[in-house]
Each structure stands twice: as structure tokens, then as C-alpha cells.
Amino acid sequence: MRSPSPRAARLLTVVGLFLTLTACGTNSPAPTPAPRPALDDVIKAATQLLTDDCLTRQHLTPPHPGRSSLPRAEQLRVSDALFGTGRAQLAVRLPTGYVVRTHTDGCLAAANQRLYGDGARWFRTSVIVNNLGPEAAHARLPLAEIRARHHAELADWRRMRTRALTVSLNLLAEDHDHSPSKGTPTP
């Protein structure tokens, strides 16, 4: 049995989320709840769609699991287009002493900009929020205290994630509306 294409997988994710959300507004009980896609999966599917489109516009083959490996030179071109080149333009120094850096010139940065509305702010906020546990361990303080110190970043993170989810759902639905039917032969 073949696994579904990435486009089909995104469509299944959107349909599952749509069915779950619309079932919540009805008075009749749902017979058996379908597995609900995680919010992360919806945003990841939209990110994949945006980065694949970006790479394709540059006449590059987007990487996907299960595909045969590209020649080394092509892999480097894809990596540079996806993640950016040269010195990283953004950096965040964590209280643990580590510095996390990223580029602003690749397809992934463009996707984050579109989904989150402010790519640089998303990078800074997500790095801080994703490292609250290590910060608490480094400072030997309870995680709740560290979270309280970063309430503004947590609020930004929630706001930007909500925006990204909304944009992702719209992108995936739009992609579905514009994709050709896979099962209908064309003359």
C-alpha cells in the first residue's frame, strides 16, 4: 500500500480538523470521534507547503522522506535555499549562555514570516519559550517562577501561534481548492 502524498496528507489533516471543529457546534453526538490532528501538525503541513512552493519556484526539488537522494551539489543548493546562506542574521543569547542563531533569507524564514507575521519576533520568542526548562534548571528555580518572568514572551508565543494556525488552515484549504483531483483522469 502506498503512503499518501504530502498534499494528500495535508488535506487529510485539514479535513480532520474541520470535522472535529464542526462537530463541536452540533447538538447531535458524534458516533466515534476521528483522531484530531495536533495543532503543530497543521502548522507543520502549512510550513511544508510554503517551503516546497518556495523551493519549486527556484527550480529545486523539495526533500521528502522516501525519495531517492539527490546528488550532493543539488542537496547543498536545496539546503542553502531552505535555510539561508552566509552568516546567520538573527541571534538570541539564552540565560544558560548558549546562543541560538538563524537566517532570514531562506524559504523556511519566509514561511515563518508568512505564518507568524513577524519572523524575527517568532524566532526570538520561540527560542526563549522552548528553553524555559533549561533556564529553570540553570538558575535552580522552579519552572513556574521562570514562566512568570517570561509572561510577555509566553503571551506573544500564544498570539503568534494562534495567528499561524489561522493562516495555516486558510493556506491548506486554499491549496486543496486549487489542487487538481488526483483520481480523475484528464483528457
Side-chain angles (χ1 to χ4, degrees):
M1 178 176 193
R2 269 184 28 192
S3 62
S5 69
R7 192 171 289 246
R10 287 191 299 269
L11 174 58
L12 290 172
T13 300
V14 171
V15 169
L17 184 61
F18 176 77
L19 292 174
T20 301
L21 293 175
T22 55
C24 293
T26 65
N27 290 333
S28 61
T32 305
R36 195 175 86 173
L39 300 182
D40 281 344
D41 293 337
V42 174
I43 294 171
K44 285 177 186 175
T47 302
Q48 180 88 44
L49 176 68
L50 290 170
T51 56
D52 284 358
D53 288 350
C54 177
L55 291 170
T56 302
R57 282 192 307 276
Q58 297 177 52
H59 306 288
L60 296 168
T61 303
H64 289 285
R67 276 196 188 151
S68 59
S69 293
L70 299 171
R72 181 78 176 132
E74 180 74 2
Q75 287 177 8
L76 290 173
R77 284 192 296 277
V78 169
S79 179
D80 286 350
L82 188 57
F83 300 112
T85 59
R87 295 181 60 106
Q89 295 87 7
L90 299 175
V92 174
R93 179 173 298 279
L94 298 169
T96 57
Y98 290 101
V99 177
V100 181
R101 302 178 198 301
T102 196
H103 291 92
T104 58
D105 61 340
C107 292
L108 184 58
N112 285 340
Q113 179 68 32
R114 177 130 181 232
L115 294 174
Y116 297 99
D118 185 337
R121 187 175 190 105
W122 171 249
F123 169 72
R124 180 184 172 282
T125 301
S126 64
V127 167
I128 291 169
V129 168
N130 291 336
N131 284 281
L132 294 178
E135 181 180 340
H138 179 76
R140 294 189 168 114
L141 293 171
L143 181 57
E145 187 172 328
I146 297 300
R147 289 178 65 81
R149 288 182 184 180
H150 291 285
H151 70 277
E153 288 91 349
L154 287 163
D156 276 352
W157 186 90
R158 284 189 288 276
R159 182 184 50 76
M160 286 187 276
R161 286 275 301 179
T162 299
R163 181 191 193 282
L165 179 61
T166 301
V167 172
S168 295
L169 288 169
N170 289 335
L171 277 172
L172 294 169
E174 197 176 286
D175 180 57
H176 171 260
D177 291 344
H178 294 112
S179 65
S181 174
K182 302 289 184 200
T184 307
T186 54

